[in-house]
Amino acid sequence: MKMRRIQLERGQRLTEDLLQRSGGIDAGIETVAADIIADVRARGDKALHDYTERFDGAKLEDLRVSNEELSTLFDKADTALVQALSNCADRIRDFHERQVQQSWYATPRKGVLVGQQVTPIQRVGIYVPGGRADYPSTVLMNVIPAVVAGVPEIAVVVPPDTEGSIVTSTLLACRIAGVDEIYKVGGAQAIAALAYGTESISAVDKITGPGNAYVAAAKKLVQGTVGIDMIAGPSEVLVLADKTANPRYVAIDLMAQAEHDPLAACYLVTTDASLADKVELELDELLRQSKRADITRESLENHGVVLLCEAMDDAVAASNFIAPEHLEVLTHDPHALLGDITNAGAIFLGPWTPESIGDYSAGPNHTLPTQGTARFSSPLRVDDFVKSSSVLSYSADALMAEADDVTAVADIEGLWAHAEAVRLRVADINEDMSNEQ
């Protein structure tokens, strides 16, 4: 198993030309998504039924998962799975409860009240991949922070299988996370329904959750009509390693991302060329055991990169340039490097912290910025499900104290009414004071 290698000289900066990172949404996919969105806006539920039959092979009577389907879930569910999902949900909830912001108010000057009022978004739609796939962790990671934020209405959309059903584990995760408004619809059509509403699905204020390229394109197109979390690209991992790293751990952690998608990007950034050789040997052996070997191999061969650096500070600089979704630090003293890491969606320190633990159990959100957007974006969090309003209240004396500042700036900007709104009030205050005397 050979991955593409890049050798950086001491102090040499990594560039996009060297990296050859693929990205962006294909224009043809965006055109198809736009057509689907327009059709759903025009035909509503009828379009959703037609697309579900066309793309998912399911002919549905009702789009919404019935109470009967939900009420029998736990009767037929594997108890070990229920316990595992519940345990993960508890840890995710605990982490996100620590993120909650409170409204605050202050009186910085006499007669002045200012503050910030934090309000939950009223209605949120969450996209969960489905069909043949099974991603209960996506449910937990998106629903729980919304619930913690206090969002009163949460709607989940999931593509059904050919029988018109949603896999039990996904439904279980919905119930455990605290949502029972679930619809059997996926793809760009589901995003359109959430953004604009249909007869069965009420429009939402924000959409979160990952999906395929058509889902990503649809989210891009409806952004502005509704809020979105991010336009996610293929999954990616970067392993930052020195000679002390276990090559088998490095190999399996690269594979853990590669098995997601043939387009997944996997980077090994190391100061030790012999480690890279050992990792490639381990990949050969582990690929023979993988049930998703074809997908994994295609990802590693086409989008796998070994970046060889002369020193660790160069390796860290290269990692910061790539700004990976997942960053694993497998070095002699990983915690010592934490302060130098500026761009990463999630940072996994040490040999006993594989990316897998973050996907499911640790608590931090696994919905992360991809394709270098960790330079300016953050993981999904409680803040994504609230909005804040500034609060201001002035007494007459406080307005008088700041009137000259306001009118001076307003006059410079040529905004007469802005200044006059203050001058009129100041005149009335002065008149009242004169009458009182």
Side-chain angles (χ1 to χ4, degrees), residues 1-4 19-20 22 262-266 294-305:
M1 174 77 246
K2 289 292 183 183
M3 297 165 63
R4 183 167 65 92
L19 196 59
Q20 298 176 19
S22 61
L263 297 176
C266 301
D294 290 345
I295 292 172
T296 306
R297 183 177 288 105
E298 185 175 350
S299 167
L300 291 169
E301 287 181 347
N302 295 334
H303 303 284
V305 176

Side-chain angles (χ1 to χ4, degrees), residues 308-326:
L308 299 174
C309 300
E310 295 292 330
M312 186 52 64
D313 60 341
D314 290 331
V316 172
S319 174
N320 285 332
F321 177 85
I322 294 170
E325 179 186 15
H326 306 93

Side-chain angles (χ1 to χ4, degrees), residues 42-63:
R43 296 196 298 130
D45 280 357
K46 181 66 167 64
L48 296 182
H49 281 280
D50 289 348
Y51 287 121
T52 301
E53 184 172 2
R54 175 180 168 187
F55 295 133
D56 302 305
K59 194 166 186 177
L60 303 176
E61 291 186 12
D62 296 309
L63 293 170

Side-chain angles (χ1 to χ4, degrees), residues 327-344:
L327 169 60
E328 290 192 10
V329 184
L330 300 179
T331 60
H332 172 66
D333 187 1
H335 293 266
L337 296 178
L338 184 58
D340 297 322
I341 296 167
T342 56
N343 299 330

Side-chain angles (χ1 to χ4, degrees), residues 207-222:
I207 301 170
T208 74
N212 63 19
Y214 293 93
V215 170
K219 286 171 71 175
K220 177 182 177 183
L221 291 168
V222 302

Side-chain angles (χ1 to χ4, degrees), residues 237-297:
V237 67
L238 187 152
V239 179
L240 180 64
D242 62 15
K243 64 182 181 180
T244 67
N246 184 321
R248 196 166 184 83
Y249 291 174
V250 175
I252 197 63
D253 290 352
L254 292 172
M255 289 177 62
Q257 286 306 303
E259 70 177 357
H260 272 295
D261 186 337
L263 297 176
C266 301
Y267 305 98
L268 169 57
V269 180
T270 183
T271 53
D272 182 35
S274 66
L275 174 68
D277 296 335
K278 294 171 186 175
V279 167
E280 289 180 339
L281 291 175
E282 293 288 354
L283 286 172
D284 286 331
E285 181 179 341
L286 290 167
L287 277 166
R288 287 194 287 269
Q289 304 172 46
S290 171
K291 296 179 180 179
R292 297 172 67 88
D294 290 345
I295 292 172
T296 306
R297 183 177 288 105

